[in-house]
Structure formats: structure tokens, C-alpha cells
Amino acid sequence: MKIHEYQAKAILKQFGVKVPKGEVCFSAKEAPAIASRLGAGPYVVKAQIHAGGRGKGGGVKIAKSAAEAESFAAQMLGMTLVTAQTGSEGKRVRRVLLEEGLQIATELYLGVVLDRSQGMPVVMASSEGGVEIEEVARRSPEKILRAPIRPGFGLQPFQARNLAYGLGLGAQADQAQKLVTALVRAFADCDASMAEINPLIVTRDGQLMALDAKMSFDDNALYRHPNLRELRDLDEEEPLEVEASRFGLNYIKLHGEVGCMVNGAGLAMATMDLIQLAGGAPANFLDVGGGASTEQVSNAFRILLSDPSVKAVLINIFGGIMRCDVVAEGVVAAASRMGVKVPVVVRLEGTNVEEGRRILLDSGLNFSVAAGMLDAARKVVALSQGGA
Ligand code: GDP
Ligand code: MN
């Protein structure tokens, strides 16, 4: 789960990271009152969307007066902001953060991410702040410092000091050490999968502050953090993914035209590969799970069909715990309720397969039955491209 910058800053602040004074607003009318609470200005107006690169895309503006802050907020709220991370369709801005403007002396990078190859979190730091860390990694990997956080030991004080001196923060060594330690504690205590401050700044008067902040959390640990779960912003998520999560389905929207309904993540991956091999592209990843009910299957099918880019559907089920007749009943129920306008190819195998096929054939609906996975992939790709 991702959250907004202002929410991440509020969390980091609780752990002792210094952040600029600021408040979020949902309408420009609120801006002048916020500005007066922030002080004399300048102010920074920042679009809150779940994507970075806002600075270059026009989503971060510096205002000299409260009136200017209000007019920037009015411009941003409701606009579709396109950045390097949003894709060309952009994201609609519904909240803006108003902050005190600070005098920046230096911009640095500090983040904690999971290093899957080492099997532990790692602190990454760089004197190249304000730019994408992926770009620094590509251009000048030697400028990235790393400190692994050993499970059971945590970040050691000497590691925090090394990072501080490595970043050239000798004059702020104590502050820097505290900040790194606080960030690592926030990451661990919140079960985060990522916590990033970019840029981390040194102000002209020598203060270290998080000018930008980004956090995301491990969904599987959210049950331990009811207060974090409330920060979820459904407006930022793909509507069909939100709908699918209501029914406990694993659905991820992709950019192709073949809708896939599969049970089991491994079979779903293999199905997507076969669709590519046959010259097509999957419109989604959908794992209905091992023990789905007729109801869930029927919702899954409905969600698949409500994506307008789906030109043909492949149902690929291996009945183990999941029974083929249950799948067939769910599909027929959804299909007869909504009226299916696209061709559907079905490949069923395993428990109660005969009964499943019979339910599909007796339904009077138009399903093509495939002999094996590759045949199914070829058929559905041909149909999605208008062939037979
Ligand atoms: P991002 O582009 O989405 O990562 O948004 P950031 O929050 O990182 O802001 C982009 C850039 O705007 C920063 O790297 C700063 O250079 C600039 N910026 C943001 N806040 C301030 C501020 O308070 N004062 C000044 N002078 N610049 C700021
Ligand atoms: Mn940033």
C-alpha cells in the first residue's frame, strides 16, 4: 500500500525526523488560512499523488504570497498531472500540500528498501539528491552508499555515523545519525517495504530536513497497523483492482487485450507467457485463488469483462482444490447476467472436469473449448485480433 507525501511526513515526524511545517488541503479556499498559520512565506504548493517526478511535471510550485499560494492550489486541484512516473494518462490531483518554503543549501538522498538478494533491508544514501535514485545508480553507482540492516541487530550506530560522514555531513554528524536511525525505526515499526527521503536537505542554517517523503507498506502486515490502513487512498488505485480486492481476488491490470482468468499465481504467470508466445498480450493478471466460490468466480469474470480493452477472454483452470464445475457455474452465471460480447476460450483440467465442460456446453452460451494450454493461447490470441 502506498500513501501520500504529507502522510509519510506525518509518520516520519512522529519518529523524530524533522519535516517542514505544512498542511494538506482539498480546496484552494483553505489555502490563505493555512498560509497564515505557516508564517510569512514563501510557500511551497505540492500536488499529492502517488507518483514522483512532480517537480519536473509542474506539481511543485513556490509561491511568494498567500494569494499566490491560493492561485497555485486552485490551478493544481483538479488538474491531470503527468510525470515520468504516472504514464501518459497522468493522475488527477485531489489534494495539495502547502508548506513553508525553505532555503536549501544541499540536496541529498536517503532511503530504506528491501534488498531481496541479501534478504534484508538496506539503507541507501547519496550526495546526489533531488534526482531519481535509479538514475544515479545507472550513471554513477559509486555515489550510492549502502548499509545493510541485519535482522536481529538493527542498524548499528557506527553504520549511521559512516553514512553521515560519507554524505559529507561531518558538521551535522549528530543530527544525521539521529535522522538515519529514526528513518530505519519508522521503516521497521511500520512494516514498510520502502521509506525514502528525496531530497533530504541541509538548510542554509544547517538543519537536516525531509523535504520530500515516500513510504509504502507490506499489505500482508497491515492487519497489525489499523491506523496506517486508514491512510489508503482508493482514488489513487486502479478502480478494477479496488473492486477485485473487495472479493479477495488477486487482480492486476495490464495493457494487452486478452483477459485472463486463472487459478493459482504460477498457472497465471505461465498463461501470460503463453499468450505472449502466441503473439498477444494479456490485459490482466487474475488469480481467483485455490478455494474460490461460484460467487467469486462470477465476480472475477464480471471484473474481467468490464475492462473495455479486453477483446477476448481465456479461462484457464486446473481443478485441484478448486473444482471445474464450480468455475463453470460461476462463469455461466456471470455470462448470462451480463451478456458477453467478446469470444471466450476455456481450458479446464482436473477435478470434475467432465461436469464442468457439460455445464459450459449446456449453457447455450458461446464458449470455445481448447485442447491444452498452448492451443488455448493460440485460439484466444487469434480471436482477440479479430481472427477465428
Ligand atoms: P518530486 O519531484 O515529486 O520528487 O517532488 P519533491 O518534493 O522532491 O520536490 C521537487 C523539488 O522541488 C525539490 O528537489 C526541490 O528542489 C524543490 N523544492 C521543494 N520544496 C522546496 C522548498 O521548500 N524550497 C525550495 N527552494 N525548493 C523546494
Ligand atoms: Mn522527491
Side-chain angles (χ1 to χ4, degrees):
M1 185 187 84
K2 293 182 183 173
I3 58 172
H4 288 291
E5 170 192 8
Y6 76 93
Q7 297 167 325
K9 280 177 168 164
I11 293 171
L12 292 180
K13 189 176 172 188
Q14 285 171 14
F15 283 87
V17 175
K18 276 194 210 136
V19 298
K21 270 196 286 182
E23 290 179 40
V24 71
C25 66
F26 295 79
S27 77
K29 285 198 304 278
E30 305 165 59
I34 296 176
S36 74
R37 286 194 286 274
L38 294 178
Y43 310 100
V44 184
V45 185
K46 309 183 78 176
Q48 301 294 290
I49 53 170
H50 285 184
R54 295 162 302 164
K56 284 182 194 148
V60 178
K61 295 230 159 97
I62 299 183
K64 286 186 253 359
S65 63
E68 203 179 11
E70 181 178 4
S71 86
F72 283 149
Q75 276 170 34
M76 276 182 206
L77 285 163
M79 82 183 275
T80 300
L81 182 59
V82 179
T83 79
Q85 294 181 17
T86 57
S88 56
E89 69 276 15
K91 281 201 158 171
R92 198 181 160 82
V93 180
R94 298 162 204 266
R95 314 175 184 199
V96 297
L97 172 62
L98 227 73
E99 281 187 341
E100 56 174 338
L102 296 165
Q103 304 272 348
I104 304 175
T106 331
E107 297 197 11
L108 308 163
Y109 172 93
L110 184 67
V112 186
V113 291
L114 275 176
D115 183 337
R116 289 167 203 279
S117 61
Q118 291 200 58
M120 60 185 87
V122 58
V123 182
M124 302 216 296
S126 175
S127 52
E128 300 279 294
V131 289
E132 266 183 69
I133 194 67
E134 290 83 356
E135 200 184 314
V136 182
R138 221 176 303 124
R139 221 173 354 100
S140 30
E142 75 288 350
K143 289 200 176 142
I144 300 179
L145 310 170
R146 283 164 218 270
I149 306 169
R150 298 202 167 276
F153 289 83
L155 189 80
Q156 297 295 301
F158 81 89
Q159 293 180 295
R161 274 196 301 279
N162 275 347
L163 289 169
Y165 284 96
L167 287 173
L169 295 175
Q172 286 90 7
D174 276 358
Q175 257 196 87
Q177 185 180 338
K178 280 202 190 101
L179 190 142
V180 175
T181 309
L183 180 66
V184 169
R185 192 169 303 133
F187 176 91
D189 286 10
C190 297
D191 289 309
S193 45
M194 194 264 293
E196 188 182 74
I197 301 174
N198 187 23
L200 166 68
I201 59 158
V202 185
T203 60
R204 295 245 178 94
D205 55 6
Q207 304 252 30
L208 270 180
M209 281 207 188
L211 201 67
D212 189 10
K214 195 165 157 184
M215 288 184 90
S216 59
F217 307 99
D218 179 350
D219 293 346
N220 292 322
L222 278 176
Y223 73 96
R224 304 207 289 196
H225 307 282
N227 50 332
L228 292 180
R229 187 183 262 163
E230 279 173 22
L231 302 178
R232 185 167 175 199
D233 181 358
L234 294 180
D235 286 333
E236 291 288 327
E237 299 178 22
E238 190 61 51
L240 290 179
E241 290 181 11
V242 174
E243 174 80 356
S245 71
R246 284 178 48 216
F247 300 104
L249 301 162
N250 273 314
Y251 172 93
I252 297 163
K253 170 133 179 58
L254 302 169
H255 295 289
E257 52 293 316
V258 179
C260 307
M261 182 160 101
V262 189
N263 68 326
L267 189 60
M269 301 293 268
T271 305
M272 288 161 51
D273 281 354
L274 281 174
I275 288 169
Q276 302 260 8
L277 187 69
N284 68 283
F285 168 95
L286 172 62
D287 169 14
V288 292
S293 61
T294 309
E295 189 64 19
Q296 266 175 308
V297 170
S298 150
N299 279 312
F301 196 53
R302 180 177 56 76
I303 287 166
L304 269 191
L305 290 177
S306 50
D307 177 354
S309 52
V310 168
K311 300 287 180 271
V313 174
L314 171 54
I315 299 174
N316 185 12
I317 301 291
F318 181 77
I321 300 170
M322 179 78 158
R323 291 166 17 214
C324 293
D325 55 321
V326 170
V327 175
E329 267 167 21
V331 168
V332 169
S336 43
R337 218 178 300 139
M338 1 192 350
V340 187
K341 292 175 197 69
V342 297
V344 180
V345 177
V346 186
R347 180 258 176 180
L348 292 176
E349 215 51 77
T351 311
N352 291 4
V353 61
E354 291 309 330
E355 207 176 331
R357 287 207 184 110
R358 192 183 50 73
I359 292 168
L360 290 176
L361 294 175
D362 290 356
S363 72
L365 295 159
N366 185 19
F367 297 110
S368 340
V369 178
M373 276 176 61
L374 187 57
D375 180 50
R378 284 185 181 139
K379 276 198 172 118
V380 77
V381 169
L383 288 165
S384 77
Q385 294 169 349

